[in-house]
Amino acid sequence: MAKYGFFLGCIMPLRYPGIESSTRAVADALGVELVDMNGASCCPAPGVMRSFDQTYWMAVAARNLAIAEKMGVDIVTICNGCFDTLFEVAHKLNHDEELRAKVNKILKDAAGVEYNGTVTVRHFVELLHKEVGVDAIKAKVKGDKPLKAAVHYGCHFLKPSNIKKIDDAERPRIFDDLVEAAGMDSIAYKDKGTCCGAGGGVRARTPDVSLKMTKENLDNMTSAGVEVIVDCCPFCHLQYDVSQPQLKDYNIPVLHLSQLLGLAFGLDKEKLGLECHQVKVNL
Amino acid sequence: MADAKEPKPEFTRKVIEAGGATVNLCFQCGTCTGSCPSGRQTAFRIRKLVRRAQLGFEEDVLPSEDLWLCTTCFTCYERCPRGVEIVDIVMALRNMAVRQGHMAEPHRKVAELISKTGHLVTLRDQDKALRGKLGLDETPPTVFSDSKAQEEVVKIASLCGFDKLVAEGGK
C-alpha cells in the first residue's frame, strides 16, 4: 500500500496524544505506512483562521500541502477540522491556477517553496474503508464485547459533500461500517449527524451556546442507551470529553476511532492514552 | 408607516467578491434556519443573516453577535434548495467584520498564538511527559521541532498582514 503523509494538526499531538499513538499503531497493524510531515503547522483551523483571513488560511494550508508534495505523498488526517481546511484548500488550488499563483507568491517569499496542485487529502476513516476495507479490519479484531456505540461523524468529514464526495451527508454508512467492524453495535440516535457544538469558533467565543448543543446531543445519546461515543475528530472528541464533567450527570466514555480500533485489535492499552481523558474509559 | 431601509447593493457586491458568490440565489425559504443546530439553542436565524447580506445591510450584519453563532456545520449548505453556499457567505462576512474591529478576545488570542507559533495550542511539560510515556517524540515533528519551519509560518502571517490584524484587534 502507498505511503501517506501523516498530518498531525494541533489538538491530537498536544492535547490527546493517545489518538496519535493509537493511529500510528493501528495503521501499522493494517499495513498502512504513515510518514511524518516534518515542519508542518496548524492546518490552520477552519473556525477562527478562515473566519479572520481566507488568504492567510489558504497560504498556511498550502505550505502544509507543499511539504507533502515535496515528499511525493498524499496526506492523511484523523481530524475533521484539518481535513476540512486541507481538503478545501487543495480543492481550490488544484483547480484554480490563478489563485494558486497568488498563494504561491506568498509561499515563495515566506518559505522559498511552491505548491503545484498535485496532493490529494484523505480522511483516515475514508482511507481505511476504501483502501484497507472492512473485511481486513474485521480479521484483526480480537475478543467479542459489543457495546452500544454512538457514532459521531461531526461536520467536516463528509460536508460539504459536493466537493468531498465521500458518502451521503444525511444518511452515511462509512464510519458506522468501521465501528461495527470493530465489534461494536452502532445504534441509531436522534440528530446523529449534527454538530458537536464546538466548531466555527463557537466553543471559544460563546461557550454557553456550545455547551447547550453538546448537552442536547448527550441527552439524545443517553435516551438511546449509548455506552460509548466514537468520534473521528480530536475537536469533537475534546468537546464531548471535556463538556461531560462540566455538565455533570453524564459519564459516557469517548473514543476516537483509532483508539477503538486499538482496543479491538488488542493493542497495548498503555499506548492508547486513555488515562488523559476526562471521562474515565473502562471498556 | 414604518420606515423602509434602502438596499445597499455596493455592500452586497463586496460580499460576493469576498467569497459569498451565491448570496443572491437565496429565496428565503428558511430551510437553513430549520436545520441550524445553533439556532435551535439561540435567537440566531441564519436565513435573516443571509437576507441582510443580500440587501446590503452592512450595519446590521457586521457588528452582530449572530454572525459568530454559526458552527460552520454545513447542514444548511447541504440542504439549501437553491445551492446557496451559506458557510462561504458567513466566512466572507466574518472576514469583513474582523477588519472593522469585531474580533472577540478569545478568538484574537487563538489567532495570535498561531500567528506567532504555528500551532493553536501550546506544548506544556505535561504534554511532553505524556507523549514520551506513549512512545512518541516528546515534541511532535512539526514547527515545534523546527525553528526554520516555524519562521516560515510566522513570515506568512507577516506577508498577509495577519500578525498586524490580530495584534491590533482588527482596528
Side-chain angles (χ1 to χ4, degrees):
Chain A
M1 192 173 299
K3 291 194 285 194
Y4 297 93
F6 184 26
F7 186 79
L8 303 182
C10 300
I11 308 282
M12 175 185 73
L14 301 169
R15 292 295 176 269
Y16 288 97
I19 300 175
E20 182 181 335
S21 52
S22 305
T23 304
R24 292 181 189 274
V26 164
D28 189 44
L30 292 170
V32 177
E33 190 180 347
L34 300 180
V35 285
D36 285 332
M37 293 175 55
N38 292 325
S41 65
C42 178
C43 53
V48 176
M49 261 45 67
R50 190 181 171 198
S51 294
F52 274 23
D53 185 329
Q54 299 198 69
T55 305
Y56 171 75
W57 174 69
M58 282 191 285
V60 176
R63 181 183 165 278
N64 287 323
L65 295 168
I67 290 173
E69 189 170 66
K70 198 174 170 198
M71 294 164 68
V73 293
D74 285 335
I75 289 177
V76 65
T77 164
I78 54 71
C79 172
N80 287 1
C82 300
F83 183 60
D84 192 51
T85 285
L86 297 175
F87 187 100
E88 283 222 36
V89 173
H91 182 81
K92 287 176 199 291
L93 299 184
N94 295 1
H95 296 98
D96 185 341
E97 276 182 40
E98 203 178 310
L99 186 63
R100 199 162 73 228
K102 181 184 155 188
V103 170
N104 273 335
K105 189 172 179 314
I106 301 168
L107 275 194
K108 244 193 261 175
D109 287 353
V113 293
E114 280 189 60
Y115 174 61
N116 298 309
T118 64
V119 172
T120 301
V121 181
R122 312 284 301 263
H123 191 293
F124 195 52
V125 170
E126 171 259 341
L127 182 85
L128 290 188
H129 198 277
K130 291 190 183 140
E131 308 297 342
V132 176
V134 167
D135 291 340
I137 291 169
K138 269 187 192 161
K140 294 273 179 203
V141 173
K142 293 169 187 154
D144 177 26
K145 195 185 173 191
L147 296 171
K148 287 182 185 165
V151 174
H152 176 79
Y153 279 82
C155 304
H156 301 131
F157 166 36
L158 302 175
K159 298 178 276 188
S161 64
N162 60 337
I163 60 168
K164 287 181 178 150
K165 298 184 168 73
I166 293 169
D167 197 355
D168 188 297
E170 297 280 356
R171 293 184 185 280
R173 277 301 313 169
I174 185 166
F175 188 11
D176 301 81
D177 286 351
L178 297 188
V179 171
E180 290 186 341
M184 297 292 114
D185 185 10
S186 170
I187 61 165
Y189 62 96
K190 185 169 177 268
D191 293 330
K192 179 174 166 181
T194 201
C195 173
C196 67
V202 171
R203 180 182 162 81
R205 184 176 171 127
T206 41
D208 53 327
V209 176
S210 173
L211 216 53
K212 279 183 188 169
M213 282 187 255
T214 311
K215 184 183 184 309
E216 187 169 340
N217 294 350
L218 288 166
D219 286 338
N220 290 334
M221 291 171 180
T222 303
S223 300
V226 161
E227 295 168 297
V228 59
I229 298 169
V230 188
D231 61 78
C232 59
C233 169
F235 202 35
C236 304
H237 185 94
L238 179 146
Q239 180 72 2
Y240 282 119
D241 187 44
V242 172
S243 298
Q244 290 190 68
Q246 289 178 351
L247 290 163
K248 305 184 178 67
D249 302 333
Y250 301 95
N251 194 29
I252 312 172
V254 184
L255 294 178
H256 187 279
L257 174 72
S258 297
Q259 293 172 312
L260 174 70
L261 291 174
L263 282 174
F265 292 177
L267 303 179
D268 183 2
K269 254 191 182 179
E270 299 283 302
K271 295 282 184 256
L272 305 179
L274 302 171
E275 75 272 17
C276 78
H277 290 196
Q278 302 279 314
V279 181
K280 289 297 152 226
V281 184
N282 296 309
L283 301 175
Chain B
M1 195 176 143
D3 289 333
K5 282 207 270 190
E6 285 296 317
K8 291 178 184 151
E10 63 278 15
F11 180 71
T12 314
R13 266 197 298 278
K14 280 188 204 164
V15 175
I16 291 169
E17 281 164 19
T22 53
V23 68
N24 281 328
L25 297 177
C26 172
F27 60 12
Q28 291 287 292
C29 69
T31 301
C32 49
T33 290
S35 302
C36 178
S38 188
R40 197 188 277 188
Q41 312 295 344
T42 65
F44 170 44
R45 298 293 174 257
I46 182 66
R47 175 188 62 79
K48 285 192 179 178
L49 189 74
V50 173
R51 184 61 175 152
R52 286 168 179 154
Q54 222 174 27
L55 290 170
F57 292 168
E58 178 175 358
E59 65 284 6
D60 291 340
V61 172
L62 297 190
S64 82
E65 281 296 315
D66 281 2
L67 183 55
W68 299 91
L69 286 173
C70 169
T71 67
T72 73
C73 78
F74 282 95
T75 311
C76 58
Y77 179 114
E78 291 287 328
R79 294 179 183 172
C80 175
R82 295 282 291 161
V84 180
E85 294 169 345
I86 302 168
V87 178
D88 295 349
I89 294 167
V90 169
M91 287 298 161
L93 294 170
R94 286 182 176 182
N95 279 198
M96 294 178 185
V98 294
R99 270 157 196 77
Q100 291 193 359
H102 304 296
M103 187 185 286
E105 186 57 16
H107 285 176
R108 199 194 67 76
K109 276 188 179 151
V110 170
E112 192 166 46
L113 201 57
I114 295 198
S115 167
K116 288 182 175 166
T117 73
H119 275 301
L120 59 70
V121 283
T122 52
L123 176 64
R124 305 162 301 185
D125 288 342
Q126 66 203 82
D127 306 318
K128 286 187 181 180
L130 181 57
R131 290 184 59 82
K133 203 177 147 203
L134 293 168
L136 300 165
D137 294 338
E138 285 198 353
T139 301
T142 62
V143 287
F144 280 173
S145 292
D146 183 341
S147 58
K148 187 181 160 285
Q150 194 168 45
E151 276 166 30
E152 290 172 6
V153 181
V154 171
K155 185 110 188 270
I156 292 175
S158 160
L159 290 170
C160 296
F162 189 78
D163 54 350
K164 198 160 172 280
L165 179 78
V166 296
E168 294 169 1
K171 284 171 189 139

